[in-house]
Amino acid sequence: MLRKLINTTWAGQLHVLGKTVFVEHTSKFHTSIAICAKRNPFLGKLEESFNQSPRSEEKSKKQGIKNYLKKHQRYADYNYQEWRFPKSNRAIDISCTRDIIQPYEDDKSGSKSSLSVRKKLSDLRYDILHNRIVKKRVDNFHRKRFPAEAQDIYIKAHDLLNTPNWTMVNREDTEERLQNLVTEHAYTDMVKGLDSKTVIWKWNESLEPPRVVRIRASPMITDNNYYGQVTVRFHSKQTLAIYDRFGRLMYGSPDEARNVLEFVVFERHISYPYGCWRIHGKIASDSYQKEPMRKTVAVMKRKPQRIESAEWHEQEEKENHYKWYPERYHYIAKKEALKYLRRDSKYWGKRRKKRIYTHHKAPVVRLRGPVARLVRRKRNIVREMREHGKLPYPPRDQDS
C-alpha cells in the first residue's frame, strides 16, 4: 500500500514516495493509486491544504509531508488514526432479533372448516420453505432430531435459575453460562426478581415427546443476514416453588409436581457459522389453569400512641395559656445559641449596626453610658421572666 500519495497540480504532476512522475492527465493513474485516493479522505484534506499557495507546495516537496506537517504544526488538524489507517465503516453486530417473528397459535378446537384447513396448508407450506433456508445454512439441523437438543437447552437454562447458583461465589459463572443458553431478549425476563426471591425448580419427566411446531427465518439489514426461529412444544411435569425474601411461599409447591404445556421459541443467527441455538421466548398455553400469586407482604397501619410528654404539654397549655405563644421556643433557642458566640467589641458593633439598619418603624434612640446599660439590663430581666412564664405578656389586639 502506498503510504504517501499527493496530487499537487492539475497538469498531471504526481509525487509518489518522494519521486516526481509526469503523466498526461490525472485520470490515467494506476488503479491502486486511484482506489487509495478515493478511500483515504486524509489525502484529500492534505491536497486542499497544500494547494492554497505555490510557496507551501514547494516547501512540502523539499521537506516531505511528515516534516512539513511537523514543522508547521498542521498534523494537529487531523486524527492520528486517520493518518495511520484509512477510514472504514464500522461493522454492526446484532446478536438476536427484537421479538418472535410469527408467534404460534395453539388450535385446540379441532374444527375442519375450509378456513382452518387452508390456514394449516399455508403454515405447512411456509414451514417447508423456511426449513430449507435453515438447513441450507445450518448443516446439522434436522426437524426430527432438534427437539432432543432443545430439551437439553431448556433444562440447563432453567436449572441455572435456582437460587444456589446466584450466590456471590457462583453468580459470575452462572451469568456467563446463562447468556450462552438464552438470548438478550429473554435474559431480562428470566432473571427479573431473582435477587429478592428464592426459586426451586426441577424437571421431573416428559409427558409427551417434544416436537417442532413452527420454523421461521427472516433476514435483517441485508438479504443474506438470516436469523432462524424454531418453536418447540413441551408437555412435561415440573416442580416449582417461589419464596419471598422472608421465606414465605408465594407460588407453587416444593413437593407437588404439576403438568406444564409450553411453546418455547429457540433462535440462532444462521448466517453466522459459529452460532448456537438459544431460548428466545415463550408462548403460554391455556390448557392448564394457573395458580394466582400469593401476596405475602402487607402494609400495617400503626395506631398513634400518645406519650406522657404530649399529655403534660396539653395540660400546661390549658393552665398557663399566657406563656404558650409561637415565638417562645424560637427566642429560647436563640438565647442558647448566643452563649457560644464570641462577644467582643466587633460583634456588638455588628449587632448595633444591624439593629439600626433593620429598624423602620420608629427612629432609634441611642442611650449612652450607664443609662443604656441599666435599660438593657432591665429589658433582659423582663424578657427572661416572660420566657420562663414568671411574667405574663401584654395582651394583644383582637384585630391582629
Side-chain angles (χ1 to χ4, degrees), residues 84-126:
R84 188 73 182 273
F85 308 106
K87 274 192 175 178
S88 60
N89 295 327
R90 278 191 169 186
I92 299 173
D93 182 24
I94 301 172
S95 59
C96 67
T97 57
R98 292 184 62 185
D99 209 345
I100 299 170
I101 296 171
Q102 189 178 352
Y104 177 77
E105 296 177 3
D106 190 14
D107 187 14
K108 297 180 291 183
S109 61
S111 61
K112 295 183 179 179
S113 61
S114 60
L115 289 173
S116 63
V117 172
R118 192 179 301 171
K119 186 176 182 301
K120 287 179 182 178
L121 288 172
S122 66
D123 286 346
L124 181 61
R125 175 175 167 271
Y126 278 117

Side-chain angles (χ1 to χ4, degrees), residues 143-154:
R143 188 187 183 102
K144 296 290 179 67
R145 290 194 294 266
F146 179 73
E149 182 186 350
Q151 182 174 327
D152 187 36
I153 295 169
Y154 180 88

Side-chain angles (χ1 to χ4, degrees), residues 342-358:
R342 193 175 166 191
R343 300 188 179 183
D344 52 355
S345 59
K346 190 176 181 181
Y347 166 77
W348 290 113
K350 285 182 180 179
R351 285 289 302 272
R352 196 181 305 114
K353 193 179 289 185
K354 185 178 179 181
R355 198 184 305 122
I356 292 168
Y357 288 162
T358 55

Side-chain angles (χ1 to χ4, degrees), residues 299-307:
V299 178
M300 305 297 292
K301 292 185 178 179
R302 295 183 179 180
K303 293 182 180 179
Q305 296 180 354
R306 298 188 60 80
I307 53 178

Side-chain angles (χ1 to χ4, degrees), residues 72-90:
H72 296 275
Q73 298 183 357
R74 300 297 293 272
Y75 59 88
D77 300 338
Y78 308 106
N79 190 3
Y80 170 74
Q81 296 293 339
E82 201 176 43
W83 160 259
R84 188 73 182 273
F85 308 106
K87 274 192 175 178
S88 60
N89 295 327
R90 278 191 169 186

Side-chain angles (χ1 to χ4, degrees), residues 36-272:
C36 212
K38 273 186 183 178
R39 289 184 180 175
N40 201 341
F42 176 68
L43 299 174
K45 291 181 184 177
L46 283 178
E47 186 179 338
E48 291 175 6
S49 61
F50 285 141
N51 286 337
Q52 289 176 3
S53 64
R55 189 175 178 182
S56 62
E57 194 175 325
E58 291 176 5
K59 284 184 179 179
S60 65
K61 289 177 189 176
K62 293 178 181 178
Q63 298 175 4
I65 297 175
K66 283 188 179 179
N67 294 332
Y68 179 82
L69 288 175
K70 192 171 182 181
K71 185 176 180 181
H72 296 275
Q73 298 183 357
R74 300 297 293 272
Y75 59 88
D77 300 338
Y78 308 106
N79 190 3
Y80 170 74
Q81 296 293 339
E82 201 176 43
W83 160 259
R84 188 73 182 273
F85 308 106
K87 274 192 175 178
S88 60
N89 295 327
R90 278 191 169 186
I92 299 173
D93 182 24
I94 301 172
S95 59
C96 67
T97 57
R98 292 184 62 185
D99 209 345
I100 299 170
I101 296 171
Q102 189 178 352
Y104 177 77
E105 296 177 3
D106 190 14
D107 187 14
K108 297 180 291 183
S109 61
S111 61
K112 295 183 179 179
S113 61
S114 60
L115 289 173
S116 63
V117 172
R118 192 179 301 171
K119 186 176 182 301
K120 287 179 182 178
L121 288 172
S122 66
D123 286 346
L124 181 61
R125 175 175 167 271
Y126 278 117
D127 273 1
I128 293 169
L129 290 173
H130 290 282
N131 189 20
R132 289 175 183 171
I133 294 171
V134 175
K135 286 191 73 173
K136 186 179 178 181
R137 290 164 175 80
V138 183
D139 298 333
N140 60 351
F141 178 79
H142 195 276
R143 188 187 183 102
K144 296 290 179 67
R145 290 194 294 266
F146 179 73
E149 182 186 350
Q151 182 174 327
D152 187 36
I153 295 169
Y154 180 88
I155 295 172
K156 284 181 180 177
H158 285 77
D159 269 333
L160 290 173
L161 297 179
N162 286 319
T163 302
N165 295 320
W166 292 90
T167 56
M168 292 183 67
V169 180
N170 303 326
R171 187 184 183 92
E172 189 174 349
D173 184 38
T174 304
E175 286 179 352
E176 187 177 349
R177 287 165 59 194
L178 189 61
Q179 284 170 0
N180 294 330
L181 300 169
V182 177
T183 61
E184 287 75 6
H185 177 263
Y187 182 81
T188 52
D189 294 334
M190 293 185 74
V191 174
K192 187 178 180 181
L194 288 180
D195 294 338
S196 59
K197 294 179 182 63
T198 304
V199 179
I200 299 172
W201 181 89
K202 185 182 176 184
W203 172 279
N204 293 333
E205 59 176 334
S206 183
L207 300 177
E208 293 180 40
R211 57 187 174 88
V212 175
V213 294
R214 175 159 291 178
I215 300 174
R216 290 292 181 268
S218 175
M220 189 175 289
I221 299 178
T222 59
D223 296 337
N224 297 325
N225 191 30
Y226 271 92
Y227 289 82
Q229 290 185 358
V230 180
T231 306
V232 183
R233 179 182 183 271
F234 289 105
H235 191 197
S236 60
K237 187 168 280 190
Q238 304 174 13
T239 304
L240 176 65
I242 301 175
Y243 299 87
D244 66 356
R245 55 183 177 161
F246 303 109
R248 293 176 287 195
L249 187 65
M250 295 177 65
Y251 184 81
S253 173
D255 305 321
E256 183 185 352
R258 299 192 180 185
N259 299 338
V260 179
L261 179 63
E262 285 180 322
F263 297 91
V264 185
V265 181
F266 293 83
E267 187 182 86
R268 177 175 175 168
H269 188 192
I270 55 180
S271 295
Y272 180 59

